[in-house]
Amino acid sequence: MVQPIKLTSTTVVLSILVFSSLIAGLGFSMGTQLVNAVLESDGYSASIVGIHTGLASLATAIAAPFVPWISRRFGYVWPVIVASLSMAALYVVTASIPTLWGLFIARFMFGLLLSVPWVLLEAWVNQASPARHRGKVASAYGAFLMLGYGLGPYLLTLVGTEGPLPFWVLAGVITAATLPLFFLLPHDPIEQMAESDHKAMSLFREAPFLFGSCFVGGFLMVAYFGLIGIYARELGYDFERGIFLLTILIIGGLIVQIPIGWLADRIGARKVIYGALIAAFFISFGIPYFDYYSVQVLIVIVYASLLQSLFSLPLALLGQRFEGAKVTAANALFVLVFEVGSV
């Protein structure tokens, strides 16, 4: 009889959680770009495409406050597995949805399901991270999430946007990414969580800087990711070169995250966040004035790194500020605030 694999290393558990963030980013970005491309090819306006994109963020913001209640009753691992497999099934169904309203409903349902792995995986990463390395772990988590965002559009250029194939590929990727989570079942942290019911406003009052920087990060990241494609088209780039610019943006953001996390552990995450906010503010005004492609790529890499740090470093601050069941409740508020900023 084959003995079940037992994980005893916190490093291995964190590795699986970080890997899951990569696939989550891939699935979200590929799914968003895929359905948006389908809508554009069907002749729908940019405003309709924008509404469709924002529905997932709205649904995630609505559902996030209820996720801690789910974790207290069913643990962490099973809700994430069920939600992830449901997202995969939803993409298979989406391939055959003929109406705009059907796509809107599917997108909203996807956002509801996405809130479960987003809140619980991030809360678990914070709980499992050693305090002295929390900045580096949070940056690694954010970096792999960004890598997934970059690989999603690239994978889409390989499988195309026509027919059911890209939807099936996307469902298969999400399903494959869910399998390692079964190894985490013996390590579900539900027994470490005390029963609690924390009000959102009380948590916000405890750490206004944390959640405020999260809001700014959500606003800037989604705005920039949404505008980079339009920016590429205005410069006359074709689809492939525009996707390449988007991929460089994300991969560049990934490469610099580990040094940023190291710096946050050395001098404090709050100081690094202040620096990132100031630098991003000034760079955002200068981006339209750079004409050379190589310079644009360099600026995009720097800007992406700054924006990504406005997601990963507040996440590290959250782990420093809250403990136990409060981490899950605070992470739910973190996701809600981030998504409100992105809407």
Side-chain angles (χ1 to χ4, degrees):
M1 180 178 178
V2 178
Q3 295 295 320
I5 298 176
K6 285 190 68 68
L7 298 176
T8 57
S9 171
T10 299
T11 303
V12 177
V13 174
L14 284 171
S15 298
I16 293 178
L17 294 174
V18 169
F19 172 76
S20 298
S21 75
L22 184 152
I23 304 300
L26 189 154
F28 182 81
S29 64
M30 183 180 177
T32 300
Q33 297 292 334
L34 172 59
V35 181
N36 286 353
V38 170
L39 290 174
E40 289 179 355
S41 66
D42 289 343
Y44 289 104
S45 65
S47 59
I48 293 295
V49 175
I51 292 172
H52 173 269
T53 302
L55 277 175
S57 296
L58 176 63
T60 300
I62 292 173
F66 299 98
V67 175
W69 178 88
I70 294 174
S71 70
R72 291 197 298 269
R73 282 150 182 80
F74 303 104
Y76 278 43
V77 183
W78 276 118
V80 172
I81 290 174
V82 170
S84 300
L85 294 179
S86 297
M87 284 190 285
L90 186 60
Y91 274 123
V92 173
V93 173
T94 302
S96 58
I97 293 177
T99 65
L100 178 63
W101 284 109
L103 291 174
F104 277 11
I105 293 172
R107 185 67 177 173
F108 190 83
M109 291 177 61
F110 177 83
L112 295 177
L113 293 168
L114 180 65
S115 66
V116 177
W118 190 350
V119 172
L120 296 186
L121 290 180
E122 286 186 3
W124 197 350
V125 166
N126 255 324
Q127 291 174 12
S129 301
R132 65 184 183 278
H133 298 305
R134 186 167 281 121
K136 290 188 284 291
V137 172
S139 292
Y141 177 88
F144 276 86
L145 183 66
M146 289 288 286
L147 177 60
Y149 270 95
L151 292 177
Y154 176 74
L155 183 59
L156 198 58
T157 64
L158 300 180
V159 300
T161 59
E162 297 181 358
L165 177 61
F167 291 94
W168 295 345
V169 170
L170 183 53
V173 167
I174 295 175
T175 301
T178 305
L179 298 180
L181 296 176
F182 284 95
F183 293 113
L184 295 180
L185 283 170
H187 304 273
D188 196 312
I190 184 172
E191 295 182 359
Q192 305 170 16
M193 306 296 290
E195 282 288 329
S196 61
D197 183 21
H198 300 287
K199 302 298 183 182
M201 287 309 299
S202 65
L203 294 174
F204 190 91
R205 285 192 294 268
E206 286 188 48
F209 174 80
L210 188 162
F211 294 112
S213 58
C214 172
F215 176 86
V216 174
F219 174 80
L220 292 177
M221 283 183 64
V222 173
Y224 195 58
F225 281 114
L227 291 174
I228 192 67
I230 298 174
Y231 176 60
R233 287 194 294 272
E234 290 294 325
L235 293 174
Y237 299 155
D238 56 19
F239 177 77
E240 286 75 16
R241 200 171 188 187
I243 289 295
F244 176 75
L245 190 62
L246 177 62
T247 303
I248 287 295
L249 183 154
I250 295 167
I251 302 301
L254 179 152
I255 294 173
V256 188
Q257 283 311 296
I258 302 304
I260 288 177
W262 175 85
L263 184 63
D265 286 333
R266 291 294 297 270
I267 68 173
R270 184 183 293 261
K271 293 179 181 178
V272 180
I273 291 173
Y274 276 129
L277 284 170
I278 295 171
F281 175 80
F282 285 106
I283 291 176
S284 63
F285 285 101
I287 288 176
Y289 300 103
F290 295 100
D291 295 328
Y292 296 102
Y293 187 71
S294 57
V295 177
Q296 292 165 358
V297 170
L298 178 61
I299 294 298
V300 157
I301 291 175
V302 174
Y303 197 58
S305 304
L306 297 173
L307 295 185
Q308 176 59 19
S309 68
L310 296 179
F311 171 82
S312 58
L313 295 185
L315 186 63
L317 280 178
L318 187 149
Q320 296 172 5
R321 185 67 182 80
F322 302 104
E323 296 180 352
K326 223 173 184 180
V327 171
T328 309
N331 224 105
L333 180 59
F334 181 93
V335 171
L336 187 154
V337 171
F338 184 89
E339 289 292 16
V340 169
S342 69
V343 172

